[in-house]
Amino acid sequence: MTRFDRAGITSLLRTDRFGRELHFYKEVGSTNLIAQELARKGEGEGTVVVADAQTAGLGRAGKSWFSPPGVNLYCSVLLRPPVLGREATLLSLVGAVATTEAMRREGALAFIKWPNDVLIGGRKVAGILAEADFRGERIAFAVLGIGVNLNVSRAMLKKGLGKGAEGATSLKEALGKELDRIRCAAALLSQLEAWYQRYVQGGRELILRAWLERSIMMGRRIQVKINGRTLTGIVWGLDEYALLLLRTDKGRVETITTGEVRFRD
């Protein structure tokens, strides 16, 4: 396999903008934080940060993302979408749809779990973290971070995640073969660029529909813990800004902005 570095990734890129400015690191704290720094320095949309390893990878709600070297893909893309700030939540959907599509093209039957997980066989294989800065009512810039378990072994997952490894997997484990990280990085950036452009040009309805078509959530019975409350019910869909709609056991439709989701069916 070609060496996993900037030259290797850019040699396979077929994008117009995404990754044409690419910063590669052997090890960083967080690719998202570096991408945010680059954004504040004025770097343009489509700038990408890739790392072989992260020491402080970011997950949702302040959680860490297990980021060992030599096996996976950790990247962040700088976006400057021409949309209002309240649409920032839709960028996670763009990332989830693109990541799922890239995996399906590898032969993996991947699905999306709200708000930002990609699953294979019910186990988490990738996570998406969208973070934005605002200028008035508009988004000044956003950073879309994606971590994908490509070749990490079951033993490494158990060592790094403990009991949490039971709910995690990798593409290698799912497909029974090792993945070329360079080819996967280039393919993911291609899907990201394509779906981002569809979102910008086609609006929220297009990306909401794409997400729902690839989701494992619709009609499922779930439990959500929010600020000390526990809600149980059936997933009804998403609202126009990608918040989860839950028809509770009491018959009310609740809008879920955040929370820990567990399947109960």
Side-chain angles (χ1 to χ4, degrees), residues 50-64:
V50 177
D52 183 53
Q54 297 181 115
T55 58
L58 300 176
R60 187 175 61 87
K63 293 182 179 180
S64 62

Side-chain angles (χ1 to χ4, degrees), residues 113-136:
K113 177 187 174 187
W114 188 90
N116 64 346
D117 295 342
V118 179
L119 310 181
I120 295 175
R123 292 179 170 179
K124 185 171 179 176
V125 70
I128 293 91
L129 178 64
E131 299 181 295
D133 269 22
F134 304 95
R135 183 174 296 133

Side-chain angles (χ1 to χ4, degrees), residues 170-240:
S170 68
L171 276 173
K172 180 180 179 180
E173 186 175 13
L175 297 175
K177 64 179 182 179
E178 187 162 334
L179 282 296
D180 184 332
R181 290 196 294 160
I182 287 177
R183 187 170 58 79
C184 287
L188 176 59
L189 291 175
S190 179
Q191 288 293 325
L192 277 172
E193 182 175 83
W195 281 102
Y196 176 70
Q197 287 303 316
R198 290 178 186 127
Y199 163 60
V200 169
Q201 295 168 7
R204 70 172 74 102
E205 290 301 324
L206 183 149
I207 201 65
L208 285 168
R209 185 168 61 252
W211 188 94
L212 289 169
E213 289 171 353
R214 294 159 180 81
S215 173
I216 200 171
M217 302 290 293
M218 287 298 296
R220 297 285 298 274
R221 183 174 175 78
I222 64 168
Q223 183 183 81
V224 187
K225 292 186 177 180
I226 316 167
N227 299 324
R229 290 197 305 158
T230 299
L231 299 176
T232 304
I234 302 297
V235 174
W236 215 241
L238 299 178
D239 76 359
E240 60 183 335

Side-chain angles (χ1 to χ4, degrees), residues 18-245:
F18 282 27
R20 294 302 169 180
E21 183 63 40
L22 191 147
H23 301 258
F24 182 89
Y25 299 87
K26 288 297 293 181
E27 183 179 277
V28 296
S30 161
T31 59
N32 259 32
L33 292 179
I34 290 179
Q36 289 174 38
E37 292 173 4
L38 294 171
R40 295 186 181 101
K41 292 177 181 177
E43 291 219 20
E45 183 169 75
T47 296
V48 173
V49 178
V50 177
D52 183 53
Q54 297 181 115
T55 58
L58 300 176
R60 187 175 61 87
K63 293 182 179 180
S64 62
W65 182 264
F66 180 51
S67 308
V71 288
N72 294 333
L73 175 59
Y74 322 110
C75 68
S76 297
V77 182
L78 169 58
L79 306 173
R80 297 189 183 275
V83 297
L84 295 176
R86 61 176 177 265
E87 293 203 24
T89 50
L90 291 160
L91 297 174
S92 287
L93 272 62
V94 172
V97 169
T99 303
T100 300
E101 274 301 294
M103 290 183 185
R104 289 185 174 185
R105 294 190 180 210
E106 288 289 338
L109 192 57
F111 293 93
I112 306 168
K113 177 187 174 187
W114 188 90
N116 64 346
D117 295 342
V118 179
L119 310 181
I120 295 175
R123 292 179 170 179
K124 185 171 179 176
V125 70
I128 293 91
L129 178 64
E131 299 181 295
D133 269 22
F134 304 95
R135 183 174 296 133
E137 294 185 348
R138 305 196 75 84
I139 298 175
F141 70 84
V143 170
L144 190 60
I146 300 178
V148 183
N149 291 341
L150 290 178
N151 296 317
V152 62
S153 67
R154 173 59 36 189
M156 290 181 70
L157 286 171
K158 288 182 178 178
K159 183 177 180 180
L161 300 176
K163 290 185 178 180
E166 296 174 3
T169 190
S170 68
L171 276 173
K172 180 180 179 180
E173 186 175 13
L175 297 175
K177 64 179 182 179
E178 187 162 334
L179 282 296
D180 184 332
R181 290 196 294 160
I182 287 177
R183 187 170 58 79
C184 287
L188 176 59
L189 291 175
S190 179
Q191 288 293 325
L192 277 172
E193 182 175 83
W195 281 102
Y196 176 70
Q197 287 303 316
R198 290 178 186 127
Y199 163 60
V200 169
Q201 295 168 7
R204 70 172 74 102
E205 290 301 324
L206 183 149
I207 201 65
L208 285 168
R209 185 168 61 252
W211 188 94
L212 289 169
E213 289 171 353
R214 294 159 180 81
S215 173
I216 200 171
M217 302 290 293
M218 287 298 296
R220 297 285 298 274
R221 183 174 175 78
I222 64 168
Q223 183 183 81
V224 187
K225 292 186 177 180
I226 316 167
N227 299 324
R229 290 197 305 158
T230 299
L231 299 176
T232 304
I234 302 297
V235 174
W236 215 241
L238 299 178
D239 76 359
E240 60 183 335
Y241 297 114
L243 302 180
L244 192 69
L245 300 177

